[in-house]
Amino acid sequence: MKNWRRWTAVIMTALMAAGLTGCSSSNPSAQKNSDGGVSQEQKDNVSRESNSAKAENNDSAGEKVTLEFYSWLDEEKIFTLLAEEYKKDHPNIDFNLHFVPTNDYETKLLTAFSGGASIDCFAVASAPSFAAYQNKGQVYCIDDLVTENKTDTSGFQASYDGLKVDGKAYVLPYKTSSWVVYYNKDIFDNAGVPYPSEEWTWEEYAQTAAKLTGGDGNDKIYGSLNYQPTSTWWRVPANGMKATNPLIEAQLDEWLKAAEFNKKLSDDGYQPPYADRANEAGADYSGAFLQGKYGMFYNGDWVIEMLNTAIDDGETLNYDIAPLPHWEGQPPMTTGTPGLLMIAQNSKHPKEAYDFISFASGEKGAEILAHNDYFPAWSSDSVIKAYTEGRERPEHIEYIVNQEIYPQVPCDPKYNTATNIVKEEVSLYLLGEQDIDKTRSTISERFVNEMDVQ
């Protein structure tokens, strides 16, 4: 298990380097939110009083409680399983599980909060999403609950510590991610192209896509599969340059180079035109890959569960995974970000909500995640054994756990707003409606005009 322990050390270093502990403020009593809200000290005082009152008024052991839980649609299977397993030992707990379409999740969740919807606990996919909710005072501080329940955080200590705000804990990580390349072995074999090597480059990815591309009409094979132009996954090649924050000019440059790389693949005919991937056509990437018309695509470890479930249900696909490519002259690495669980500040049942999220993120939940093809945040020999051993597919599952992982996103509450601006402008570039120079200048102008970023 040396590689697992090496990953834990790497991710802790990477979290620190990415500024996750930079969520802290040096003078919380004086600092205001970016929207002119209350200070961190005021939020914490309100939170402590609120938490104390809730703890006193909430729940005798046998009281029937229904938890309102929110997540995005991709997580429906795993949280349904986790809730069902949790209820076996907690028959007094019921769940209303709300799963929102993935692309609309952040918007819908913000709307639910602003509309006063009943929310007990919820998941987010990244540190900046957490930072945005915490910055608005919508996340419950769990320090007292961690102490009261003597919660063991040793299995995800690096992420847990790295995500504290001013030394206070608000989230429990339940999974992490690791990006790889998924490839159709039959397409490689039919084209006589060797499978990807352990240390291949993005330049070699493009060359391989060219070799795999062929045919016409219904027999057309593309070497690479892309996404909706309104997705931001085109940026992943830039993450290998440790470019995670578009608000930093040099990192925005790397993002736009990644957009150019992806557009060139389409312009050269090695992946579909972005106009063909617009709207819902580009949303079902795993379904598209299962059609057997695409040689490879890059995505996160969660796709393993999607593909394996489809194969178990009767779909045919002979696939494996390869490490994420790196740029020439750069060290091999991949990118990823932890999935996080938290309690809503206005939860009616914070103690029960905490008990559930600590179950889902702890070792018992991690084993359920691992057995269902998710890469848990909790690290232990038993969990990594559950994740890697006895698998029929993919053959090279070790690439998920043995790569160095650099955080995909910074813990910056402005990140999501900035990324949406970039997404809107880059989508126009990918669709051929503006050139890269216009894209860059418009992004910079919008940062100034809409975010007051100089």
Side-chain angles (χ1 to χ4, degrees):
M1 299 304 149
K2 291 181 180 178
N3 285 322
W4 182 267
R5 285 189 287 270
R6 178 173 68 86
W7 176 86
T8 301
V10 168
I11 196 66
M12 181 57 186
T13 301
L15 285 166
M16 299 293 287
L20 289 174
T21 54
C23 292
S24 304
S25 61
S26 58
N27 185 6
S29 63
Q31 184 163 330
K32 296 285 186 179
N33 290 340
S34 59
D35 59 1
V38 296
S39 71
Q40 183 64 50
E41 183 178 48
Q42 289 170 314
K43 285 188 287 185
D44 288 338
N45 287 337
V46 171
S47 178
R48 279 192 295 271
E49 294 169 5
S50 168
N51 295 355
S52 176
K54 290 173 183 175
E56 289 175 6
N57 295 328
N58 234 339
D59 71 314
S60 57
E63 181 184 354
K64 196 71 173 177
V65 169
T66 298
L67 293 178
E68 303 288 339
F69 175 81
Y70 281 72
S71 185
W72 57 100
L73 194 58
D74 288 350
E75 303 291 78
E76 181 176 9
K77 176 183 175 181
I78 193 61
F79 279 114
T80 300
L81 288 171
L82 287 165
E84 289 174 352
E85 191 65 28
Y86 179 79
K87 286 169 66 175
K88 291 178 182 178
D89 292 328
H90 303 81
N92 63 311
I93 302 296
D94 279 333
F95 290 88
N96 282 333
L97 301 174
H98 305 266
F99 298 107
V100 179
T102 303
N103 289 339
D104 298 328
Y105 180 61
E106 295 290 345
T107 300
K108 297 286 188 182
L109 190 58
L110 285 168
T111 300
F113 270 115
S114 62
S118 179
I119 303 173
D120 289 300
C121 46
F122 61 104
V124 297
S126 68
S129 293
F130 153 62
Y133 291 113
Q134 194 279 331
N135 197 47
K136 294 177 181 294
Q138 293 168 332
V139 185
Y140 189 104
C141 178
I142 61 174
D143 281 337
D144 291 344
L145 291 170
V146 171
T147 301
E148 177 184 329
N149 289 277
K150 299 180 180 178
T151 304
D152 181 7
T153 59
S154 62
F156 46 59
Q157 199 68 49
S159 295
Y160 176 73
D161 288 339
L163 289 160
K164 288 182 177 179
V165 178
D166 296 323
K168 296 178 175 63
Y170 294 84
V171 300
L172 296 177
Y174 71 96
K175 70 172 185 176
T176 190
S177 59
S178 177
W179 282 64
V180 293
V181 169
Y182 294 81
Y183 64 94
N184 186 315
K185 296 173 72 174
D186 291 340
I187 291 177
F188 273 74
D189 293 342
N190 292 337
V193 176
Y195 299 150
S197 67
E198 288 192 13
E199 295 190 2
W200 64 328
T201 64
W202 285 111
E203 292 83 357
E204 290 171 326
Y205 181 97
Q207 294 164 9
T208 301
K211 295 174 183 177
L212 295 174
T213 300
D216 294 297
N218 291 333
D219 296 324
K220 177 69 176 181
I221 299 293
Y222 285 103
S224 178
L225 173 64
N226 51 348
Y227 303 99
Q228 296 162 294
T230 51
S231 165
T232 58
W233 284 347
W234 50 262
R235 79 188 192 282
V236 168
N239 296 151
M241 298 294 291
K242 298 185 177 180
T244 62
N245 193 342
L247 289 168
I248 298 172
E249 185 175 357
Q251 296 188 27
L252 175 61
D253 289 343
E254 295 296 338
W255 279 37
L256 296 180
K257 289 177 185 176
E260 290 180 290
F261 173 81
N262 275 277
K263 187 172 187 297
K264 189 174 189 305
L265 284 172
S266 288
D267 290 347
D268 290 344
Y270 306 147
Q271 65 185 15
Y274 274 94
D276 292 353
R277 302 292 291 156
N279 302 317
E280 292 305 310
D284 185 11
Y285 46 86
S286 61
F289 190 60
L290 283 160
Q291 294 172 9
K293 301 292 186 181
Y294 305 94
M296 56 187 178
F297 74 120
Y298 55 86
N299 209 300
D301 57 277
W302 56 87
V303 176
I304 292 174
E305 184 272 336
M306 294 179 178
L307 296 180
N308 286 351
T309 296
I311 293 169
D312 290 341
D313 289 342
E315 297 280 359
T316 300
L317 179 68
N318 182 19
Y319 84 99
D320 200 2
I321 61 175
L324 196 70
H326 60 94
W327 292 108
E328 190 72 43
Q330 297 297 316
M333 67 170 59
T334 188
T335 189
T337 187
L340 307 173
L341 289 169
M342 59 204 77
I343 303 169
Q345 177 59 44
N346 293 327
S347 168
K348 297 176 182 177
H349 310 288
K351 296 180 75 174
E352 293 92 342
Y354 177 78
D355 197 62
F356 172 65
I357 69 170
S358 62
F359 161 80
S361 59
E363 187 158 19
K364 289 182 179 179
E367 291 185 5
I368 295 171
L369 286 156
H371 281 299
N372 286 277
D373 299 325
Y374 283 78
F375 188 14
W378 184 276
S379 65
S380 69
D381 287 352
S382 64
V383 169
I384 195 62
K385 182 178 180 180
Y387 188 77
T388 58
E389 291 192 356
R391 283 178 176 268
E392 295 182 10
R393 55 185 182 265
E395 178 182 352
H396 291 94
I397 188 65
E398 69 272 11
Y399 291 143
I400 296 293
V401 299
N402 287 352
Q403 298 186 84
E404 293 193 7
I405 303 175
Y406 191 81
Q408 192 171 28
V409 292
C411 190
D412 185 338
K414 295 183 178 180
Y415 172 86
N416 286 341
T417 302
T419 300
N420 282 334
I421 291 172
V422 175
K423 177 179 69 174
E424 290 169 4
E425 297 305 324
V426 169
S427 69
L428 296 176
Y429 166 70
L430 295 174
L431 290 168
E433 297 181 16
Q434 63 186 20
D435 62 25
I436 197 67
D437 292 332
K438 175 65 174 176
T439 301
R440 185 190 309 272
S441 63
T442 304
I443 289 170
S444 298
E445 290 171 6
R446 291 186 64 184
F447 281 175
V448 172
N449 295 334
E450 298 175 31
M451 299 182 64
D452 196 26
V453 173
Q454 301 300 321

